[in-house]
Amino acid sequence: MHKVSGLILAVTLMLASMAARADGLWDVSVMLHTKKWVDLTHPFDADIPHWKGFDPLTRKVIYDYDKDGFRAEMFCHVGQWGTHVDPPAHFHKGARTADKIPITQMLLPLVVIDVHRQAGKNPQISSSRSRT
């Protein structure tokens, strides 16, 4: 049975690889891996930058290795915590929520506005048209 399962998995992976190659996805992957990647995320903890009106994050270990054989934590925070997407509904009643935005609209060209020097002096800095 294990040999049959392994064979099915191998064939599935091979066919998936062939299909991806046929669609040019491997070429896109190779090209993307040659680019410079910048991770803009922050560690997910109580010290992450957040709006002053939100309560701090709380976390609690609910299962742990010694007692349960695995570790799981419970996190309590507002939805706009950490690196996230604010859908139009965040600011406009009745507008699209994140689940209504097609994934194809989530990969877009990027413009970098470097304000790291100003942010070093003022972590609450915001962007404006006059600044760009």
Side-chain angles (χ1 to χ4, degrees):
M1 182 66 177
H2 290 293
K3 287 184 181 183
V4 173
S5 298
L7 180 60
I8 292 170
L9 177 61
V11 170
T12 302
L13 291 173
M14 181 182 73
L15 291 174
S17 173
M18 288 169 61
R21 227 177 286 131
D23 291 336
L25 294 177
W26 284 116
D27 294 337
V28 172
S29 176
V30 169
M31 182 272 301
L32 287 174
H33 281 86
T34 67
K35 303 302 179 186
K36 179 179 179 180
W37 291 69
V38 178
D39 183 356
L40 300 176
T41 59
H42 292 276
F44 198 82
D45 59 29
D47 296 326
I48 195 169
H50 60 278
W51 182 58
K52 62 185 176 185
F54 293 149
D55 289 338
L57 163 116
T58 59
R59 64 195 293 182
K60 174 184 173 185
V61 175
I62 56 175
Y63 297 98
D64 213 348
Y65 306 109
D66 293 337
K67 181 180 175 209
D68 307 298
F70 67 99
R71 183 178 177 94
E73 295 179 73
M74 181 181 297
F75 294 83
C76 183
H77 57 83
V78 297
Q80 287 71 31
W81 195 270
T83 305
H84 67 282
V85 173
D86 277 333
H90 181 65
F91 297 102
H92 304 286
K93 184 177 182 179
R96 288 191 304 174
T97 54
D99 62 314
K100 301 297 182 201
I101 300 172
I103 194 69
T104 55
Q105 293 182 11
M106 301 299 266
L107 183 62
L108 302 168
L110 173 70
V111 175
V112 176
I113 302 171
D114 185 356
V115 294
H116 78 277
R117 287 188 182 92
Q118 297 93 322
K121 297 174 187 168
N122 175 13
Q124 299 299 321
I125 190 170
S126 61
S127 187
S128 67
R129 285 191 178 171
S130 64
R131 204 174 264 139
T132 55

